[in-house]
């Protein structure tokens, strides 16, 4: 049974037939998402700490900025979808409300009040730059905003994705904030798992091939800029590859394979100290 909700945003529900039957690998297989799969590809031990030991990520200024920018663009798209008149002042109020809500929901330890003010100004400058560059025509028809897609494939947990925006013609859009401009030569490769998951879900839920995929990077340079990367509809081989990857992911989680993947990225990993103490740190619910 495959379903899609091409409607206003809805809360994601965890899909579990019998919660008491979940074994020691926790709830990592209640559903699969692009973020879970990508984390597992980066490092299986990092995936363990995040999705099996259930250790929450500590809020950071970058995460805070990204969530607020995303929330503001989401409301902008909803207003356009519903053909509601709005002003730039309305968007500023939306932005400030999202900033305050994120502060309450996921408090960040700011170094100073000035740091918060600077980051808030940077976040708004990203949104303002995006709107000023008119990347998307305000009068363009919209197929969906924050679209929840779900596919139940044979021998796999539910595969779920939340698509930021579906433009006319079935073009899938994902908004990202970044510290530097993406490399056009490798962007499809770097984000390949997410793009393939979205394409897979779109095809299963609509019965049609996506019209293309777009990554809209809002870049946090001194002078904010927007980089739009357009990717052609994926080939059938890429869809087959991601389905095979889903099966490998499930098999590895069920086998409790928590092999680490040491790299230069370890320096910025919030689980570095836990990883150094492995296997003593293999404690579900560890919150050190």
């Amino acid at each position: 049974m495959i379903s899609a909700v091409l409607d206003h945003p809805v809360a994601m529900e965890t899909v579990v037939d019998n919660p008491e039957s979940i074994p020691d690998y926790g709830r990592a297989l209640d559903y699969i998402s692009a973020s879970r799969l990508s984390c597992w590809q980066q490092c299986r031990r990092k995936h363990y700490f995040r999705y099996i030991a259930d250790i929450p990520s500590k809020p950071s200024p970058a995460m805070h900025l990204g969530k607020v920018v995303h929330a503001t663009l989401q409301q902008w798209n909803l207003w356009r979808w519903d053909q509601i008149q709005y002003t730039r002042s309305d968007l500023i109020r939306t932005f400030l409300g999202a900033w305050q809500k994120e502060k309450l929901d996921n408090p960040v330890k700011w170094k100073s009040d000035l740091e918060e003010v600077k980051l808030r100004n940077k976040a708004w400058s990203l949104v303002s730059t995006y709107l000023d560059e008119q990347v998307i025509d305000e009068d363009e028809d919209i197929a969906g905003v924050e679209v929840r897609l779900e596919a139940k494939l044979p021998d796999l947990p539910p595969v779920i994705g939340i698509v930021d925006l579906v433009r006319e013609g079935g073009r899938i859009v994902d908004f990202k904030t970044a510290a530097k401009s993406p490399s056009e030569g490798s962007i499809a490769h770097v984000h390949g798992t997410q793009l393939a998951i979205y394409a897979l879900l779109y095809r299963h839920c609509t019965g049609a091939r996506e019209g293309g995929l777009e990554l809209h990077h809002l870049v946090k340079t001194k002078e904010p800029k927007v980089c739009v990367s357009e990717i052609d509809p994926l080939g059938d081989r890429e869809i087959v590859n991601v389905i095979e990857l889903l099966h490998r992911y499930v098999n590895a989680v069920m086998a409790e394979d928590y092999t680490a993947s040491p790299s230069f990225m370890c320096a910025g990993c919030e689980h570095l100290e836990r990883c150094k103490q492995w296997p003593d740190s293999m404690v579900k619910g560890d919150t050190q």
Side-chain angles (χ1 to χ4, degrees):
M1 181 68 179
I2 297 169
S3 62
V5 181
L6 291 173
D7 205 339
H8 282 36
V10 294
M12 181 187 296
E13 298 180 357
T14 300
V15 182
V16 181
D17 293 332
N18 183 3
E20 296 181 358
S21 68
I22 298 176
D24 291 341
Y25 44 78
R27 304 179 69 85
L29 296 182
D30 53 4
Y31 66 88
I32 308 176
S33 66
S35 57
R36 292 186 175 198
L37 196 56
S38 295
C39 180
W40 175 78
Q41 286 179 297
Q42 292 171 19
C43 179
R44 299 184 183 195
R45 193 168 298 169
K46 179 179 180 180
H47 176 274
Y48 165 81
F49 287 126
R50 180 174 295 180
Y51 295 111
I52 297 176
D54 291 327
I55 300 172
S57 296
K58 294 181 180 179
S60 69
M63 290 172 58
H64 187 103
L65 179 147
K67 289 182 178 180
V68 173
V69 168
H70 182 278
T72 306
L73 292 178
Q74 175 185 330
Q75 185 58 65
W76 173 65
N77 282 316
L78 283 172
W79 281 336
R80 295 192 306 116
W81 192 15
D82 290 331
Q83 298 182 342
I84 294 175
Q85 296 296 317
Y86 64 90
T87 65
R88 188 64 65 99
S89 295
D90 293 327
L91 277 171
I92 293 175
R93 284 192 290 271
T94 294
F95 168 81
L96 293 175
W99 187 273
Q100 195 62 31
K101 182 178 186 302
E102 188 61 25
K103 281 183 64 175
L104 295 174
D105 292 346
N106 300 291
V108 172
K109 292 184 179 180
W110 306 101
K111 294 179 182 178
S112 65
D113 290 342
L114 181 59
E115 181 194 29
E116 180 186 350
V117 170
K118 286 183 176 179
L119 195 72
R120 187 178 63 203
N121 290 342
K122 173 65 71 175
W124 174 250
S125 69
L126 289 172
V127 174
S128 182
T129 299
Y130 186 86
L131 298 177
D132 289 342
E133 293 198 7
Q134 297 183 334
V135 177
I136 299 176
D137 189 331
E138 294 198 14
D139 296 327
E140 178 185 297
D141 289 336
I142 294 177
V145 178
E146 289 294 298
V147 182
R148 182 185 189 276
L149 301 175
E150 177 179 340
K152 296 178 181 177
L153 307 176
D155 302 319
L156 288 171
V159 182
I160 293 175
I162 307 293
V163 177
D164 289 344
L165 174 68
V166 181
R167 301 179 66 177
E168 58 183 356
R171 295 192 63 81
I172 297 170
V173 177
D174 188 69
F175 298 110
K176 296 184 180 297
T177 54
K180 61 181 182 179
S181 301
S183 172
E184 289 299 325
S186 62
I187 194 167
H189 177 74
V190 171
H191 299 284
T193 296
Q194 180 186 20
L195 296 172
I197 289 291
Y198 284 174
L200 169 70
L201 288 170
Y202 184 86
R203 295 179 190 191
H204 273 274
C205 294
T206 67
R209 185 184 295 263
E210 72 281 0
L213 302 106
E214 299 177 10
L215 296 177
H216 292 196
H217 282 86
L218 286 73
V219 188
K220 298 176 286 185
T221 43
K222 186 175 182 180
E223 291 295 329
K225 59 182 178 180
V226 178
C227 298
V228 176
S229 303
E230 298 183 356
I231 296 101
D232 292 334
L234 300 191
D236 293 339
R237 183 67 248 177
E238 291 167 294
I239 300 298
V240 170
N241 286 344
V242 79
I243 293 175
E244 292 176 351
L245 180 63
L246 290 167
H247 283 280
R248 288 196 295 273
Y249 167 81
V250 170
N251 290 338
V253 172
M254 293 183 69
E256 299 183 325
D257 180 355
Y258 308 133
T259 305
S261 300
S263 73
F264 70 93
M265 296 180 67
C266 293
C269 180
E270 61 187 326
H271 303 296
L272 177 58
E273 292 306 315
R274 297 186 182 94
C275 189
K276 289 179 180 179
Q277 297 169 23
W278 188 270
D280 294 338
S281 59
M282 189 179 175
V283 179
K284 193 175 190 312
D286 175 24
T287 56
Q288 74 173 16

